[in-house]
């Protein structure tokens, strides 16, 4: 995944790679992370977060994964805002217990649990709660306006701007394609990587000479990408490399790692996202009935509510940042277009077998993101579960996956993944294509 929970083995012939590892959240039983009182300015037992700009660092795999955030006050309460390039993620669930402050990470079942470590410094952990094993990554932060990565004085950066043809390689030797898109102003770089199942969202960082470093932290994932223009030792000296080739490393959270290479290519592109999967031979309709996130109800495409309408089925998870990006597009789109005879059904696949817990996670997502369309609990977040629950599909390759049904209830299109706002023009193209498909189905 990108940040989409992806199953690239079915897409590229590769094994289950970092995208899946990066999406795995793990639970913890650390009682110190349980919030009990609200942390507001000037009250509570926990040290207060000083307002202003901060630089946070996640320490994992012998690497430092930096990110920027800002602490402010709104209505007498503290608000933390994550800053990933142009993205701003507002975190307003902040509580305290003892000497610790817990910052819940938006829609994700995760938190930063911090305490003071001297003047204008914090230390603690990034904790994920929704897995089978404890997941904790060391965290520290210092206050003040800072760059993500240090740059040597007098450094003359080379250009990494433009589109790049990228190949990622897992530690198991399996590979998958991607497209890197970067913008550069002086030493500062922003951009992302597109893959067949989504994108790595908003990345930002710096160039120091011929070295590139990018990072991001959205609450669900902490990513670090490094690269050098030209080979570094040790390397296979018998192999010829094209000029301007990037050799890089990709670190994801606690244990995800891949290497990557890239060459400049303004025409770099990926396989058609509408042709990666389809219906099984002889199948034209989806046949499912899943429990609603509200107790006692159920959702099926054959319900009277959807009869004679164009229906969009969104395969999603509350743990999935790419799903968050798609939902941020779909939620306001639905409010503006539902009167045209269009409905959306969200099928949630969560990291729990407990239907009640899954419903609570999806309900929190629905409420925080102002989602007006229906969402059902469809199963657990795995390739096997998703494919098993929708047996008419040939395969499920990614979260999100978007399925378009015509007015007769027949599947007309299946779109794998989602290129979010961090991809720039590709996001605009994604929206144009979505609207074009809806317009065509409504005109029939």
């Amino acid at each position: 995944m990108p940040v989409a929970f992806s199953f690239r083995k079915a897409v590229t012939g590769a094994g289950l790679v970092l995208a899946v590892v990066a999406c795995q959240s793990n639970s913890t039983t650390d009682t110190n992370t349980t919030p009990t009182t609200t942390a507001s300015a000037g009250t509570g037992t926990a040290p207060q977060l000083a307002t202003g700009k901060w630089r946070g660092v996640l320490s994992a795999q012998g690497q430092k994964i930096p990110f920027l955030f800002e602490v402010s006050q709104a209505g007498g309460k503290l608000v933390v805002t994550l800053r990933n390039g142009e993205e701003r993620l507002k975190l307003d669930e902040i509580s305290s217990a003892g000497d610790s402050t817990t910052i819940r990470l938006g829609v994700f079942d995760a938190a930063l649990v911090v305490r003071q470590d001297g003047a204008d410094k914090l230390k603690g952990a990034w904790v994920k709660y929704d897995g089978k094993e404890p997941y904790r990554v060391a965290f520290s932060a210092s206050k003040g306006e800072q760059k993500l990565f240090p740059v040597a004085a007098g450094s003359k950066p080379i250009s990494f701007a433009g589109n790049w043809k990228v190949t990622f390689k897992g530690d198991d030797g399996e590979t998958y394609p991607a497209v890197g898109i970067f913008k550069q102003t002086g030493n500062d770089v922003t951009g992302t990587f597109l893959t067949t199942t989504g994108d790595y969202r908003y990345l930002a960082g710096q160039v120091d000479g011929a070295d590139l470093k990018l990072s991001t932290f959205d609450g669900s994932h902490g990513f670090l990408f490094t690269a050098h223009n030209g080979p570094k030792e040790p390397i296979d000296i018998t192999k010829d490399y094209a000029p301007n080739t990037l050799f890089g490393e990709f670190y994801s959270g606690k244990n995800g790692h891949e290497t990557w290479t890239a060459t400049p290519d303004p025409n770099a592109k990926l396989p058609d996202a509408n042709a990666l999967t389809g219906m099984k031979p002889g199948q034209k309709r989806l046949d499912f009935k899943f429990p609603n996130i509200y107790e006692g109800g159920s959702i099926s495409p054959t319900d009277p509510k959807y009869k004679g309408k164009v229906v969009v089925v969104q395969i999603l998870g509350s743990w999935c940042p790419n799903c968050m990006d798609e939902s941020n597009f779909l939620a306001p789109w639905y409010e503006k277009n539902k009167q045209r005879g269009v409905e959306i059904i969200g099928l949630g696949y969560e990291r729990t077998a407990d239907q009640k817990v899954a419903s609570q996670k999806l309900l929190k997502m629905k409420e925080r993101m102002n989602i007006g369309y229906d969402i059902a609990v469809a199963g657990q977040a795995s390739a096997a579960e998703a494919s098993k629950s929708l047996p008419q599909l040939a395969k499920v390759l990614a979260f999100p996956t978007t399925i378009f049904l015509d007015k007769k209830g027949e599947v007309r299109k299946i779109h794998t993944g989602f290129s979010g706002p961090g991809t720039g023009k590709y996001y605009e193209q994604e929206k144009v294509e979505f609207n074009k498909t809806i317009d065509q189905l409504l005109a029939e």
Side-chain angles (χ1 to χ4, degrees):
M1 102 202 107
V3 273
F5 189 102
S6 59
F7 310 105
R8 291 201 187 87
K9 183 173 183 179
V11 181
T12 65
L16 196 62
V17 294
L18 179 64
V20 175
V21 176
C23 278
Q24 291 174 347
S25 296
N26 296 288
S27 63
T28 177
T29 57
D30 187 354
T31 57
N32 289 332
T33 66
T34 304
T36 57
T37 59
T38 300
S40 57
T43 63
T45 59
Q48 297 306 307
L49 304 179
T51 59
K53 294 181 179 179
W54 291 73
R55 179 179 181 268
V57 175
L58 303 172
S59 299
Q61 304 185 64
Q63 304 296 317
K64 302 295 185 183
I65 306 175
F67 64 96
L68 303 178
F69 64 96
E70 188 167 358
V71 179
S72 60
Q73 291 190 39
K77 295 184 178 180
L78 290 175
V79 175
V80 173
T81 303
L82 299 179
R83 301 164 54 201
N84 297 307
E86 297 179 357
E87 180 181 49
R88 300 293 183 267
L89 293 174
K90 179 181 177 181
L91 310 175
D92 55 9
E93 294 181 76
I94 302 175
S95 58
S96 63
D99 66 348
S100 297
T101 294
T102 298
I103 305 166
R104 298 292 303 198
L105 295 168
V107 300
F108 307 119
D109 197 3
L112 290 173
V113 183
V114 306
R115 63 181 184 274
Q116 284 188 344
D117 187 32
D120 292 336
K121 291 185 178 181
L122 301 171
K123 67 177 180 180
W126 167 35
V127 184
K128 292 187 178 184
Y129 302 103
D130 62 353
K132 296 179 180 179
E133 301 295 332
Y135 190 103
R136 297 175 66 88
V137 173
F139 162 82
S140 61
S142 58
K143 188 173 180 294
E145 181 71 50
Q146 304 168 69
K147 295 283 190 181
L148 283 163
F149 301 94
V151 176
S155 172
K156 296 181 179 179
I158 67 171
S159 178
F160 288 83
N163 285 21
W164 298 75
K165 182 179 180 181
V166 182
T167 299
F168 284 95
K169 183 178 181 179
D171 290 341
D172 59 1
E174 301 290 355
T175 63
Y176 63 93
V179 176
I181 49 175
F182 307 132
K183 295 180 180 179
Q184 183 173 345
T185 302
N187 293 96
D188 299 330
V189 179
T190 58
T192 193
F193 294 91
L194 296 162
T195 79
T196 52
T197 54
D199 66 275
Y200 283 105
R201 304 192 74 252
Y202 292 90
L203 304 176
Q206 277 72 45
V207 174
D208 189 358
D211 291 298
L212 170 69
K213 292 184 178 180
L214 298 165
S215 64
T216 192
F217 177 65
D218 57 24
S220 182
H221 299 94
F223 291 157
L224 170 66
F225 296 86
T226 66
H228 182 78
N229 191 307
K232 283 186 173 180
E233 299 295 342
I235 199 165
D236 184 359
I237 61 174
T238 67
K239 185 174 181 180
D240 293 328
Y241 293 97
N244 212 22
T245 297
L246 306 185
F247 294 82
E249 306 277 341
F250 172 25
Y251 300 92
S252 174
K254 192 174 180 180
N255 48 27
H257 175 259
E258 293 176 349
T259 59
W260 59 283
T261 57
T263 54
D265 184 351
N267 300 313
K269 63 180 182 179
L270 296 168
D272 184 0
N274 300 313
L276 295 176
T277 190
M279 301 292 285
K280 289 180 179 177
Q283 299 291 336
K284 293 184 178 181
R285 301 171 183 267
L286 295 178
D287 183 14
F288 63 78
K289 185 176 183 179
F290 297 125
N292 199 314
I293 58 173
Y294 300 107
E295 188 173 355
S298 64
I299 298 175
S300 169
T302 60
D303 290 343
K305 177 177 181 178
Y306 309 113
K307 185 176 181 180
K309 295 182 179 180
V310 172
V311 178
V312 177
V313 178
Q314 178 195 21
I315 297 177
L316 62 95
S318 68
W319 44 265
C320 165
N322 285 147
C323 302
M324 177 180 68
D325 285 342
E326 184 180 49
S327 297
N328 274 329
F329 163 66
L330 288 178
W333 184 94
Y334 176 70
E335 295 305 317
K336 293 178 181 178
N337 291 275
K338 59 185 179 182
Q339 75 282 358
R340 299 172 63 196
V342 182
E343 291 293 339
I344 301 176
I345 300 173
L347 300 183
Y349 293 82
E350 294 299 301
R351 291 174 174 166
T352 176
D354 188 319
Q355 181 181 322
K356 184 176 181 179
V357 173
S359 295
Q360 291 171 345
K361 293 177 184 293
L362 291 165
L363 180 59
K364 178 181 179 180
M365 177 182 180
K366 180 179 172 71
E367 291 176 344
R368 284 188 66 92
M369 301 184 70
N370 296 314
I371 297 173
Y373 51 85
D374 297 332
I375 299 179
V377 180
Q380 290 184 259
S382 74
E385 281 287 333
S387 297
K388 182 180 178 180
S389 68
L390 299 170
Q392 297 80 31
L393 291 180
K395 52 194 172 184
V396 174
L397 299 175
F399 288 71
T401 291
T402 312
I403 306 170
F404 296 83
L405 314 185
D406 64 18
K407 296 175 184 178
K408 296 182 292 184
E410 296 185 357
V411 174
R412 298 290 294 276
K413 182 178 180 179
I414 304 175
H415 185 88
T416 297
F418 185 77
S419 296
T423 67
K425 69 176 184 179
Y426 299 93
Y427 175 57
E428 297 304 318
Q429 292 172 1
E430 187 99 23
K431 293 189 291 183
V432 168
E433 180 187 334
F434 180 92
N435 281 297
K436 182 179 179 181
T437 300
I438 295 296
D439 291 343
Q440 291 174 340
L441 294 177
L442 286 174
E444 294 180 352

